[in-house]
Amino acid sequence: MRLAHSLVPTLKETPAEAQIASHRLMLRSGMIRQTSAGIYAWLPSGWRVLQKITRIVREEQDASGSQEILMPTIQSADLWRASGRYDAYGPEMLRIRDRHDREMLYGPTNEEMITDIFRQSVKSYRELPQMLYHIQWKFRDEVRPRFGVMRGREFLMKDGYSFDLSYEDAVVSYRRMMLAYMRSFQRMGLHAIPMQAESGPIGGNLSHEFIILAPTGESAVYYDAAFEEQDWLKSAFDYANPQDLESFFTQITTPYAATDEKHDAADPRWAGLAAERRREGRGIEVGHIFYFGKKYSEPMGLSIAGPDGKPLTPFMGSYGIGVSRLVGAIIEASHDDAGIIWPDSVAPWAAAILNLKQGDAACDAMCEAAYKALGAEALYDDRPERAGVKFADADLSGHPWQIVVGPRGAAAGRVELKRRASGERVELSLEDALAHIREGGLARAG
Ligand code: ATP
Ligand code: MG
């Protein structure tokens, strides 16, 4: 994209309403603009990040065997009456009336709708197990929308649902999702810790929240140092094949990890942990997986024919990822005083090309050549701005690589390549710079 004619409205000043780094940096780098409290428009660079995160989530969901669908944002109140949640949900639900005075709502989640769709279409035990997901906007009228996209009112969620014939099968679905989640977060450059969460009326231990560590997180968290050890995590992934999901699950859920709501200092895994292996911090919830058995299938009358002809009620689970919240969470986990530091896999562009002297024949030619070679993965800063402004905006926006083209270098056929994460700079030919980006950045991003 050529920056001179693009909507990337960077700000020098820090907006007064932003209390945390990610919100500040998203506004300052021109990724989003608020249109109402807790409701945001995604501008080109923000939208590109959101799409890259969406793509990773989608690929890992597909790899786990879940089927993508798209359900509407608007739902009928009757569906929610059938499950008994219409009144229980409270003021977080945005309730709407259509012209015929029918009660509708903007979906905060989709358990009822997916159960209804399943109930209309699936008749036999032979069609199970199944998993379905969609990536769709949700609305929750949060009491205190804050921190930008981290706690918005309208937000993008991946929500998935599993249908199984038995509790044992449902456990397998749950573990498959646990693996898909750990893989998704790892690909985004995040260190997510699965923490035992409140399991609701069904009990059991099949409810986990995925927490990203960040000082500005809303929950206090307590965990075993194992979660900071890359080797330990890698060894868990070694089990991650469909035949040995159980070993993966056991390894990843054995060390102690809990948010303050569930923290139990008397738990032997915490009480018995050496002081130097105990970690306390704060975290952001980016995902939640949950087994709830027949909580919706029973009251909503989802029943299928079993092998002996007798009706069976499927066991269900639901699996959410806060896709738009992740944009903020990644920034919370990866920034410095100058701005965002995007992991390669989710950066809006792999590289920014900084033309330090627009109109200089050698600079312009070299920048055009770089832009042509990198294609859609490049942001070409061709604005008639001072070099200092371009440097500051590139650091602020967090592009993993910067190709800096000045008149002296360009005349000698050389550019400066900067790696945003390390601050490392090298002077080299454009060909070598492109090769570095392709090997280190583009290859992984693609
Ligand atoms: P929270 O405790 O943060 O309100 P929740 O328990 O209500 O989250 P779920 O219903 O499990 O959330 O939704 C799945 C995911 O959607 C969450 O893990 C979170 O990442 C994301 N999410 C929930 N509410 C919001 C929101 N208001 N803005 C952005 N993302 C959200
Ligand atoms: Mg909530």
Side-chain angles (χ1 to χ4, degrees):
M1 204 168 89
R2 287 174 197 270
L3 194 51
H5 296 277
S6 296
L7 189 63
V8 187
T10 52
L11 305 172
K12 249 208 239 90
E13 312 305 330
T14 297
E17 74 267 29
Q19 304 165 33
I20 62 169
S22 59
H23 189 193
R24 264 194 310 271
L25 292 171
M26 288 181 75
L27 290 170
R28 284 194 55 211
S29 67
M31 294 172 66
I32 51 166
R33 283 295 178 265
Q34 181 172 300
T35 61
S36 307
I39 304 181
Y40 292 87
W42 294 79
L43 304 188
S45 67
W47 178 236
R48 286 182 65 94
V49 174
L50 195 61
Q51 283 179 295
K52 288 200 177 175
I53 293 173
T54 300
R55 188 168 89 183
I56 292 174
V57 169
R58 175 177 288 125
E59 284 174 2
E60 293 301 330
Q61 290 296 302
D62 291 347
S64 79
S66 193
Q67 314 160 67
E68 185 170 14
I69 59 173
L70 183 61
M71 291 181 269
T73 54
I74 305 291
Q75 307 186 21
S76 139
D78 288 340
L79 263 185
W80 287 65
R81 291 211 172 85
S83 73
R85 274 212 292 186
Y86 190 64
D87 295 320
Y89 212 90
E92 267 197 19
M93 180 184 277
L94 180 64
R95 297 158 206 256
I96 309 164
R97 274 176 199 276
D98 70 9
R99 65 198 300 165
H100 303 294
D101 219 29
R102 276 187 292 249
E103 292 174 275
M104 315 289 284
L105 57 98
Y106 195 118
T109 179
N110 284 60
E111 281 84 1
E112 283 79 359
M113 188 176 274
I114 192 74
T115 305
D116 182 49
I117 292 170
F118 212 78
R119 146 178 95 175
Q120 290 175 36
S121 328
V122 177
K123 304 291 176 203
S124 157
Y125 74 95
R126 290 192 200 86
E127 298 169 69
L128 263 53
Q130 288 202 37
M131 277 211 231
L132 298 144
Y133 75 97
H134 75 160
I135 298 169
Q136 177 63 292
W137 296 92
K138 303 290 186 287
F139 195 94
R140 293 182 186 175
D141 206 350
E142 300 276 355
V143 199
R144 228 150 73 83
R146 57 179 185 156
F147 300 159
V149 300
M150 296 261 255
R151 184 165 297 285
R153 293 199 296 163
E154 188 184 58
F155 60 96
L156 190 60
M157 193 203 285
K158 185 288 295 179
D159 42 321
Y161 306 90
S162 60
F163 297 84
D164 284 286
L165 287 173
S166 65
Y167 171 75
E168 291 68 32
D169 288 356
V171 170
V172 174
S173 298
Y174 187 90
R175 290 175 178 162
R176 248 164 58 209
M177 272 301 130
M178 167 81 78
L179 172 61
Y181 275 43
M182 292 301 285
R183 280 201 169 126
S184 304
F185 299 133
Q186 202 185 39
R187 282 181 62 187
M188 293 169 203
L190 287 173
H191 205 108
I193 305 179
M195 300 197 182
Q196 185 79 62
E198 223 47 76
S199 44
I202 296 110
N205 59 356
L206 291 182
S207 173
H208 285 88
E209 289 174 352
F210 294 79
I211 304 281
I212 301 302
L213 299 173
T216 48
E218 287 184 315
S219 335
V221 296
Y222 304 82
Y223 60 97
D224 188 318
F227 286 106
E228 290 173 350
E229 289 156 10
Q230 277 306 317
D231 290 349
W232 174 81
L233 194 66
K234 244 187 101 236
S235 68
F237 277 111
D238 287 343
Y239 290 119
N241 57 65
Q243 292 76 43
D244 206 359
L245 272 175
E246 189 176 347
S247 303
F248 167 75
F249 185 77
T250 303
Q251 174 151 347
I252 216 83
T253 57
T254 296
Y256 188 83
T259 62
D260 48 359
E261 284 169 1
K262 290 280 284 185
H263 180 52
D264 174 10
D267 184 313
R269 292 178 304 156
W270 181 257
L273 196 62
E276 70 271 16
R277 293 193 59 81
R278 287 187 189 171
R279 296 284 184 272
E280 298 185 21
R282 302 199 68 80
I284 302 165
E285 179 194 326
V286 292
H288 190 178
I289 60 178
F290 197 89
Y291 165 75
F292 50 72
K294 302 179 179 178
K295 180 172 179 207
Y296 301 95
S297 48
E298 206 153 66
M300 293 187 67
L302 165 58
S303 150
I304 56 170
D308 48 7
K310 286 203 198 106
L312 269 174
T313 304
F315 296 77
M316 294 175 60
S318 81
Y319 312 91
I321 292 184
V323 178
S324 50
R325 178 180 285 184
L326 271 165
V327 180
I330 292 170
I331 297 173
E332 286 300 324
S334 184
H335 69 272
D336 62 15
D337 289 342
I340 303 168
I341 303 173
W342 287 117
D344 293 300
S345 59
V346 298
W349 293 277
I353 302 161
L354 311 190
N355 189 338
L356 300 188
K357 195 161 187 207
Q358 214 69 45
D360 175 276
C363 282
D364 290 358
M366 192 160 258
C367 288
E368 290 294 339
Y371 185 48
K372 203 170 155 203
L374 290 166
E377 277 303 321
L379 179 70
Y380 175 16
D381 191 346
D382 59 346
R383 295 174 302 171
E385 289 283 0
R386 285 181 297 112
V389 172
K390 296 193 179 190
F391 288 135
D393 276 355
D395 280 352
L396 170 65
S397 302
H399 315 291
W401 301 93
Q402 296 171 18
I403 299 176
V404 182
V405 182
R408 223 173 320 120
R414 303 184 73 74
V415 302
E416 190 179 72
L417 181 67
K418 176 176 166 181
R419 180 72 172 159
R420 176 67 177 87
S422 60
E424 236 177 309
R425 302 152 183 274
V426 277
E427 206 194 280
L428 29 60
S429 70
L430 177 59
E431 288 64 39
D432 289 346
L434 294 173
H436 265 286
I437 295 172
R438 288 213 182 85
E439 281 152 29
L442 282 184
R444 257 181 285 146

